[in-house]
Amino acid sequence: MGNKDFSFGYHCSHEQFKPSHLLNLVQKAEQAGFGNALSSDHFYPWSENQGESGYAWSWLGAAMQATSLPFGVVSAPGQRYHPAIAAQKVATLCEMFPHRFFIAAGSGQFLNERITGQKWPNKQERNDRLKLCVDIMRALWRGETVTHKGLVEVEYAKLYTLPDYMPPVFGAAITPETAEWVGSWADGLITISNSPEELKKVVDAFHKGGGEGKPMHLKVQLSYDTSKEKARQGAHEQWKNNVFPSALLSDIPTVKGFDAAGSMVKPDELEPAVRISDSAQEHIEWLAKDLELGFTHLHLHNVNLQQEQYIAFFGERVLPELQKIAERM
């Protein structure tokens, strides 16, 4: 390859598959040539059609033992997870599987965080809380004893099991505003696929905020099937509730609420939130544009349920071509 480290990975969607099945899928993905894995981490699915929501952190230990892939997880410390517990579970995975794990910290969604019964703060307060949680986690990973009063309460917390390096914390951002902010404190960026014009705004904002030179990961939402019609239908059935702006998605309180919002989305309204095609070449061209924007790690999420054929097809027809493109960069 060129000067950069590129990888093209498999997204593990706990909302769509039972954990036992997902374990089998990520093993198949590694065998097919996928180079990393990204895990979701939610209490609820986004629709009754998705219908699952296993606990990511139980699963991650099993999945990392069952493969040799590097893993990441997008998680929201602060409400559902106390930052001291978040720090402990990250430290444990990093001690067992050195340099194979990162956490991407986000400010969360009301749907998942409301289960604790605490009030749902506004976006600014959620961001303040998130940054505070990251500071607390990093202090614990440095071996410090942490007490803090305020947005998050911590009383004499100290971790005894630590990896011999600092676990990386990425910032999860969908808007340019959030991307600029996470550029100032995160070890890298993770965002989701959009049109090249919109993605460039996020990249530029991340760089402007201090992210220049830091790794950038992209979760790519796509739908591949043996025909474009099947790909579109599968995406509409599974992912139509997920195409709205983040400001709306972060505040919907129930799965029924997501289903109500998604009921207004027609099959031909899914792009550019989901890239729909039965053509290897079209997917390669889209992904090549992501690489041109500076993303080095692509996490490919086929949003329909036909995972085995997708893994085989991308392993044979898409990933080898992406590797060639990456090597020329």
Side-chain angles (χ1 to χ4, degrees):
M1 291 191 194
N3 296 326
K4 288 183 180 173
D5 171 29
F6 290 90
S7 77
F8 310 107
Y10 179 75
H11 179 69
C12 308
S13 180
H14 286 279
E15 298 73 36
Q16 295 175 278
F17 304 101
K18 291 184 187 303
S20 53
H21 186 199
L22 208 50
L23 192 59
N24 183 253
L25 290 173
V26 77
Q27 289 175 300
K28 283 192 163 109
E30 181 179 33
Q31 289 156 13
F34 285 81
N36 69 59
L38 181 71
S39 173
S40 59
D41 174 20
H42 298 117
F43 192 83
Y44 283 111
W46 287 288
S47 75
E48 293 294 337
N49 276 345
Q50 290 173 359
E52 295 289 340
S53 207
Y55 183 54
W57 296 88
S58 307
W59 182 85
L60 278 162
M64 293 181 78
Q65 178 64 23
T67 67
S68 58
L69 296 173
F71 274 74
V73 68
V74 181
S75 193
Q79 191 154 328
R80 188 165 36 120
Y81 298 132
H82 190 279
I85 300 301
Q88 185 185 30
K89 61 196 181 186
V90 171
T92 296
L93 285 175
C94 290
E95 194 283 328
M96 288 195 294
F97 307 107
H99 302 288
R100 279 180 56 199
F101 183 73
F102 73 87
I103 181 172
S107 59
Q109 292 178 318
F110 187 37
L111 174 69
N112 297 295
E113 312 309 322
R114 72 197 294 264
I115 59 165
T116 63
Q118 297 163 276
K119 80 174 181 73
W120 182 235
N122 63 39
K123 176 63 173 166
Q124 185 57 55
E125 192 174 325
R126 296 201 305 273
N127 281 356
D128 292 344
R129 180 174 69 181
L130 174 62
K131 176 60 168 61
L132 176 60
C133 286
V134 171
D135 291 343
I136 289 166
M137 292 193 300
R138 284 173 168 161
L140 289 165
W141 294 331
R142 288 193 297 267
E144 296 171 20
T145 300
V146 176
T147 295
H148 183 85
K149 303 294 178 194
L151 276 177
V152 178
E153 303 272 318
V154 187
E155 187 97 12
Y156 294 107
K158 177 180 165 70
L159 291 180
Y160 280 79
T161 294
L162 291 166
D164 60 6
Y165 67 98
M166 197 66 160
V169 182
F170 283 34
I174 295 174
T175 65
E177 295 75 23
T178 304
E180 183 174 347
W181 173 64
V182 302
S184 68
W185 58 261
D187 296 314
L189 169 75
I190 189 163
T191 187
I192 59 171
S193 53
N194 206 326
S195 67
E197 300 73 31
E198 292 303 312
L199 273 180
K200 186 172 189 312
K201 291 177 190 172
V202 171
V203 169
D204 289 347
F206 179 64
H207 288 162
K208 181 184 171 191
E212 190 85 53
K214 295 177 182 178
M216 296 193 303
H217 290 222
L218 182 68
K219 181 191 175 237
V220 178
Q221 295 170 165
L222 63 95
S223 188
Y224 163 77
D225 208 325
T226 50
S227 73
K228 191 157 187 175
E229 293 70 32
K230 280 185 184 174
R232 184 172 298 282
Q233 192 50 48
H236 187 253
E237 180 205 296
Q238 283 290 302
W239 215 250
K240 63 179 178 288
N241 296 3
N242 299 62
V243 302
F244 299 100
S246 62
L248 174 64
L249 291 177
S250 64
D251 288 331
I252 296 174
T254 62
V255 176
K256 282 183 179 173
F258 272 84
D259 279 330
S263 69
M264 297 178 276
V265 178
K266 298 182 177 66
D268 61 358
E269 295 175 331
L270 295 168
E271 288 102 343
V274 182
R275 300 172 181 176
I276 299 167
S277 181
D278 58 349
S279 155
Q281 191 54 42
E282 200 162 17
H283 283 293
I284 291 163
E285 286 167 11
W286 284 327
L287 294 163
K289 285 183 180 152
D290 301 328
L291 298 178
E292 284 166 19
L293 284 170
F295 291 101
T296 52
H297 294 69
L298 308 182
H299 308 280
L300 310 183
H301 180 194
N302 184 45
V303 303
N304 67 57
L305 296 179
Q306 306 307 314
Q307 296 295 301
E308 284 86 354
Q309 69 174 14
Y310 150 72
I311 289 167
F313 181 83
F314 267 60
E316 191 179 319
R317 302 280 303 281
V318 176
L319 301 183
E321 295 306 311
L322 282 179
Q323 290 289 0
K324 288 176 191 168
I325 293 166
E327 282 164 13
R328 294 196 294 268
M329 296 186 110

